[in-house]
Amino acid sequence: MSDGMQKILFDPMKHPEWVAPHSPEWYKQLFEEVGEYKYPWKSTFDEPRAEMILADKITSYLCEGRLLDVGCGHGEFALQFALNAREVVGIDVVEGFIETGNKAKLVENINFLIIDGNGNLPFPNDYFDVAYTKKGPRDWYHEGNRIVKAGGVILGFYHAGSHGALRELFPGLYSQIPKPEANDILCELNLHESGLTDIKVELLEEIEYLSTPEDVLIKKCFGQSQKLREVVWQECLKDVEGIFNKYATSKGLKIINYYHLLTARAS
Ligand SMILES: C[S@@+](CC[C@H](N)C(=O)[O-])C[C@H]1O[C@@H](n2cnc3c(N)ncnc32)[C@H](O)[C@@H]1O
């Protein structure tokens, strides 16, 4: 797919303005700029989208029960379950996201609360029927097992990297990382002391088409400062346009997003 002699592009991660994605400082910067956690680039997808697979699983296990979203951001994803649930609770550490979620909600049975998902969760034993995280904290499974009733379901959905055109065609701008394996996530989550049973992990593959060359840069610079974005546009846009226009199809530039989907039962 790629040429033999590829130019190494500017690496924004080496710039002093780069803020590590998903660090507290990064979420603060993102919230101050846009007020929510939402991907800003334009793209289309082949169906099914990975998050629809997660949503279908949640709905199938929920059966009008109580649902917890750990690391809910501004709550947009959790809102869709309110009609099929007795109660939905979303928790997050970013106060602004929780405020945005509570302002947007139109039904009474959903609440967004400022709570650290990795700490002690202020809910009684066996309170929820289903709990999940969508790209949120990784250290809540022991508490999750306590607050979800025995036999209830716990789900973890984590982005495991974007591959395809991005890393092959834009070296430097996108660093090389190996394609993930399904079980990679198990050692990161330290589940053996959680009490969870029937633990399964799937690796989901999602096909996305970035719409324009600028979307390649917007994706890389998600949550970064305006100042850094200006540097990246100046350093990279011309090269990225050339590569994009050579390899994009009529749908856009094809990339592959991987997600780990963990499913387990509380005991
Ligand atoms: C990648 S974002 C995903 C947001 C939302 N779940 C979504 O998919 O759109 C991760 C979220 O987890 C939250 N988060 C990170 N660590 C957390 C923690 N220890 N407790 C609660 N929320 C946390 C972040 O503030 C952020 O809103």
Side-chain angles (χ1 to χ4, degrees):
M1 191 183 192
S2 52
D3 295 334
M5 288 292 286
Q6 270 180 307
K7 178 171 174 183
I8 304 297
L9 301 175
F10 174 78
D11 180 353
M13 292 169 69
K14 296 205 172 117
H15 192 277
E17 279 274 319
W18 179 262
V19 177
H22 307 289
S23 60
E25 188 189 355
W26 184 85
Y27 279 114
K28 185 168 178 282
Q29 188 165 281
L30 182 69
F31 176 73
E32 282 167 4
E33 199 167 322
V34 291
E36 56 185 16
Y37 182 90
K38 202 167 194 171
Y39 292 160
W41 58 92
K42 285 198 231 63
S43 63
T44 55
F45 293 85
D46 282 350
E47 298 295 332
R49 286 199 59 179
E51 64 176 57
M52 286 313 299
I53 294 173
L54 172 66
D56 287 348
K57 278 208 184 221
I58 293 167
T59 305
S60 72
Y61 292 123
L62 186 56
C63 305
E64 316 263 319
R66 289 197 170 101
L67 178 66
L68 176 68
D69 180 332
V70 181
C72 61
H74 63 285
E76 197 174 322
F77 185 77
L79 275 175
Q80 68 184 297
F81 304 110
L83 287 179
N84 297 320
R86 178 165 169 199
E87 181 183 359
V88 178
V89 179
I91 63 172
D92 204 285
V93 275
V94 178
E95 280 185 48
F97 287 164
I98 292 300
E99 263 171 45
T100 308
N102 280 323
K103 276 189 203 142
K105 68 176 194 179
L106 295 170
V107 282
E108 289 298 313
N109 65 335
I110 184 159
N111 272 304
F112 297 109
L113 308 169
I114 303 161
I115 292 172
D116 179 355
N118 286 334
N120 293 331
L121 299 178
F123 305 106
N125 294 353
D126 304 327
Y127 187 74
F128 292 99
D129 297 276
V130 178
Y132 68 90
T133 187
K134 176 167 161 280
K135 301 182 280 184
R138 291 170 180 249
D139 201 11
W140 63 281
Y141 291 100
H142 183 73
E143 272 291 87
N145 184 53
R146 179 184 66 76
I147 60 176
V148 171
K149 54 184 65 154
V153 172
I154 296 204
L155 297 154
F157 176 89
Y158 298 99
H159 187 223
S162 295
H163 287 253
L166 282 183
R167 299 184 196 279
E168 284 177 34
L169 296 180
F170 307 104
L173 181 62
Y174 283 90
S175 51
Q176 301 295 322
I177 54 169
K179 182 179 166 275
E181 304 279 339
N183 285 337
D184 291 351
I185 192 87
L186 285 175
C187 40
E188 284 172 35
L189 298 180
N190 191 19
L191 295 170
H192 58 277
E193 285 172 4
S194 64
L196 296 179
T197 61
D198 297 345
I199 297 170
K200 279 189 229 111
V201 182
E202 291 165 71
L203 186 68
L204 306 180
E205 200 175 296
E206 174 185 80
I207 307 295
E208 180 175 12
Y209 301 91
L210 298 179
S211 303
T212 70
E214 283 199 72
D215 294 310
V216 174
L217 301 182
I218 294 170
K219 180 168 167 58
K220 182 69 199 187
C221 294
F222 178 36
Q224 300 300 326
S225 66
Q226 175 64 23
K227 191 169 155 197
L228 179 56
R229 289 202 296 271
E230 281 166 18
V231 175
V232 174
W233 261 241
Q234 195 167 356
E235 294 281 343
C236 295
L237 184 59
K238 233 170 167 270
D239 288 320
V240 168
E241 278 174 339
I243 300 167
F244 186 100
N245 292 333
K246 188 167 169 191
Y247 291 101
T249 67
S250 56
K251 288 182 173 179
L253 190 72
K254 180 176 166 181
I255 66 172
I256 306 170
N257 301 317
Y258 290 99
Y259 289 91
H260 284 121
L261 177 56
L262 170 95
T263 311
R265 295 267 174 193
S267 63

